[in-house]
Amino acid sequence: MTIPSAKTVTAKVLVVGGGPGGYVAAIRAGQLGLDTVLVEADRLGGTCLIRGCIPSKALIHVASRFEAMEQSLGDGRFGIALDLPPRLDLAAAMRWKDGIVDRLSGGVAALLRKAKVRVLRGWAVFSDAKTCTVQGSDGPLTVRAEHVILANGSEPVPLPNLPFAGPVLSSTEALSLERLPRRLVVVGGGYIGLELGSAFAKMGSTVTVVEAQPRILPLYDAALTDPVRRWLERAGVTLHLGARALGMEAEGNGQALVVQTADSGMIRLPVDAVLSTVGRRPRLEGWGFEAMGVERRGAFVAVDDQCRTSMRNVWAIGDLVGEPMLAHKASAQGEMVAEIIAGHRRRFAPAAIPAVCFTEPEIVSVGLSPTEASAQGIDVIVDQFPFAANGRALTLDAGESGFVRLVARRDDRRVIGIQAVGTHVSELSGEFALALEMGAELEDVAGTIHAHPTLGEVFHEAALKLLGRPLHLGS
Ligand SMILES: Cc1cc2nc3c(=O)[nH]c(=O)nc-3n(C[C@H](O)[C@H](O)[C@H](O)COP(=O)(O)OP(=O)(O)OC[C@H]3O[C@@H](n4cnc5c(N)ncnc54)[C@H](O)[C@@H]3O)c2cc1C
């Protein structure tokens, strides 16, 4: 389609997508003095800020506060007793969450302004590798640039027999519910489904999880996921593992999800809502990707270790280019690409990309697990230190099931993997990643004074234990 009277904008760098990949790329490009245009069809912040990381963590916080108050009913806990049950106003909670999202999205706009990035609102459609048309509110604009950074992100994938409609929600709709579903079935026991499912369980929904694999969070090993499974079971969440969601059927005045279970045959689960979180796919449809002559690798855009695509000066970053589909990976790639365009020598070769599940308890994984190390033929020593022996964990009522596990090479004692499960362990992910990025050996971790009382001491003690000299562990 040709648009006859389109105005033309030119730039050195055109970034498509204002998520954590695209907006960071644009800010860094602007800081480096590159004339940069960013095109975003929606609000600034992308999946992460508008309908992902941030709103989900805000909701989890609300749910945890509510749960803590419920646990204080009657005789109470920690000497705190409430006489009346707390009331949850989900619409008000969502407004609080939306306030955080608004503030952060406005912050991104201000940062882009400060970096002198021109932001165009509208959907970009490419006609060739370096030219797109943006359908903005003031009519069409043609944008041409020397460099194009594709940061179009990803979208939720529905199961073919369970399209997003009616009571079947993606994470986006679940994060905007104004009334608590009484019966919620989560299809897909990955981190997005379990984070949100746990939050709804804390807020009072009756939650059932249907997962096709025999375990929840199948990307993590059982030692890490068992505490999460135990929490879910204690919270009254029913797990159907090795089970398949077949589709919705009418049930009285409402609807039921039909599930093929591993041991009880076909069952019907009456529902108020189904949250389907079976996966996400790169967003490659509807914006002229095919016109760009850029190659794919499977479902993703093919890139090298500098995020170059097969087309000269077309770059791709973030969820568009593959796993892990995480915000901090997208941002790191965006920053790198801007610097390469500005003439810096950079390559995307992180020692580790931390992954965090904000479940109950939280899980962190950085670098190689013991199984992954063995699969790569690396001779490793592995040990873990329990939260139960850490003062801070006990003061946070978090001593029960947590631990930090270290994986180190046997020959030079270099740390190549750190995993942890426990309340608040997400906050240790930075220290873990730094240790791997700096090539720490066990002695480096053991020789670093960790503040007392903190959960970081568990990491310190795990290194001491692996060196055969733990200080705070009885026999
Ligand atoms: C519920 C949920 C929770 C999550 N929690 C976490 C978490 O805790 N930690 C974490 O690291 N990650 C988390 N993620 C994943 C994280 O959101 C993504 O990895 C991250 O947003 C990817 O960033 P991106 O820049 O590649 O793409 P996106 O954030 O998807 O941004 C892409 C942007 O491009 C825009 N766009 C696309 N095509 C066009 C076009 N043609 N024209 C104009 N604009 C266009 C879109 O509107 C979108 O705003 C979560 C995701 C979900 C859904």
Side-chain angles (χ1 to χ4, degrees):
M1 185 174 76
T2 45
I3 296 132
S5 59
K7 291 189 210 128
T8 300
V9 170
T10 56
K12 170 88 174 176
V13 181
L14 162 63
V15 183
V16 185
Y23 86 70
V24 167
I27 289 173
R28 189 69 189 118
Q31 286 173 346
L32 290 162
L34 304 172
D35 176 28
T36 303
V37 166
L38 181 139
V39 185
E40 169 57 61
D42 198 337
R43 296 167 66 199
L44 290 168
T47 303
C48 175
L49 210 158
I50 309 296
R51 51 193 168 269
C53 329
I54 296 296
S56 62
K57 274 60 196 185
L59 195 67
I60 289 168
H61 178 71
V62 168
S64 299
R65 291 287 288 259
F66 183 72
E67 186 201 32
M69 294 184 81
E70 288 231 297
Q71 289 173 346
S72 289
L73 261 184
D75 290 345
R77 300 184 71 204
F78 320 117
I80 304 169
L82 293 182
D83 296 334
L84 292 172
R87 277 181 303 105
L88 179 75
D89 179 345
L90 191 59
M94 290 296 176
R95 286 198 294 278
W96 174 74
K97 177 262 300 178
D98 290 342
I100 297 168
V101 170
D102 290 348
R103 185 167 160 186
L104 289 172
S105 182
V108 170
L111 293 170
L112 288 165
R113 262 196 312 277
K114 187 172 167 221
K116 302 199 166 43
V117 175
R118 285 175 286 162
V119 176
L120 301 180
R121 298 296 166 105
W123 185 252
V125 178
F126 280 80
S127 47
D128 65 47
K130 307 284 169 49
T131 314
C132 70
T133 303
V134 180
Q135 293 294 345
S137 50
D138 300 334
L141 267 183
T142 300
V143 188
R144 284 206 184 86
E146 203 180 309
H147 292 267
V148 174
I149 304 177
L150 299 175
N152 306 61
S154 62
E155 59 197 358
V157 187
L159 283 171
N161 46 352
L162 209 59
F164 297 129
V168 183
L169 317 174
S170 75
S171 54
T172 305
E173 293 87 47
L175 284 165
S176 302
L177 284 176
E178 300 223 324
R179 287 188 37 205
L180 199 67
R182 201 163 52 81
R183 299 157 305 180
L184 172 71
V185 178
V186 177
V187 179
Y191 86 93
I192 293 178
L194 290 191
E195 284 184 7
L196 294 178
S198 304
F200 280 102
K202 285 179 181 177
M203 292 188 291
S205 297
T206 301
V207 177
T208 304
V209 175
V210 175
E211 164 58 52
Q213 300 287 319
R215 293 201 302 111
I216 52 163
L217 300 169
L219 295 179
Y220 297 89
D221 58 65
L224 295 169
T225 59
D226 276 352
V228 178
R229 183 182 49 74
R230 284 200 298 274
W231 183 90
L232 290 166
E233 285 169 357
R234 263 204 324 270
V237 174
T238 307
L239 300 178
H240 290 292
L241 304 175
R244 291 186 179 278
L246 300 181
M248 302 297 291
E249 277 185 5
E251 167 99 3
N253 287 337
Q255 297 207 45
L257 178 71
V258 183
V259 176
Q260 177 72 53
T261 64
D263 36 26
S264 319
M266 203 99 89
I267 58 168
R268 294 163 65 86
L269 299 171
V271 295
D272 299 305
V274 174
L275 167 60
S276 175
T277 52
V278 294
R280 296 183 63 82
R281 64 179 164 222
R283 194 187 278 112
L284 281 171
E285 304 288 327
W287 52 271
F289 173 74
E290 8 1 275
M292 298 182 81
V294 169
E295 283 174 16
R296 293 185 190 207
R297 187 178 298 128
F300 296 100
V301 176
V303 290
D304 66 9
D305 63 0
Q306 292 186 308
C307 291
R308 289 176 196 276
T309 68
S310 56
M311 179 62 69
R312 196 176 137 75
N313 292 346
V314 176
W315 314 73
I317 60 176
D319 283 7
L320 212 50
V321 302
E323 298 288 352
M325 289 205 215
L326 292 172
H328 39 284
K329 183 208 73 172
S331 298
Q333 290 180 328
E335 184 193 20
M336 175 195 73
V337 168
E339 293 186 355
I340 294 173
I341 294 172
H344 299 199
R345 286 165 65 89
R346 292 285 313 272
R347 192 162 82 80
F348 192 69
I353 301 172
V356 178
C357 283
F358 292 82
T359 40
E360 193 68 65
E362 295 174 350
I363 300 176
V364 173
S365 180
V366 185
L368 299 181
S369 69
T371 318
E372 288 163 344
S374 302
Q376 292 187 20
I378 307 172
D379 187 12
V380 288
I381 47 175
V382 180
D383 210 339
Q384 66 190 45
F385 192 88
F387 268 33
N390 174 266
R392 182 60 176 150
L394 297 189
T395 64
L396 290 168
D397 192 32
E400 198 188 314
S401 55
F403 62 84
V404 174
R405 183 174 69 194
L406 276 178
V407 184
R409 286 176 184 277
R410 187 182 297 280
D411 53 4
D412 58 5
R413 293 198 284 262
R414 179 162 296 216
V415 181
I416 57 170
I418 310 165
Q419 296 85 37
V421 56
T423 306
H424 304 304
V425 289
S426 54
E427 295 302 330
L428 297 182
S429 62
E431 177 175 8
F432 296 167
L434 186 67
L436 259 69
E437 205 59 57
M438 302 298 285
E441 294 169 12
L442 289 175
E443 285 81 356
D444 296 319
V445 181
T448 303
I449 297 175
H450 284 72
H452 177 73
T454 62
L455 296 177
E457 289 172 290
V458 183
F459 180 43
H460 183 231
E461 283 279 6
L464 287 172
K465 186 161 177 244
L466 206 40
L467 290 167
R469 49 187 172 93
L471 289 168
H472 293 89
L473 204 61
S475 53

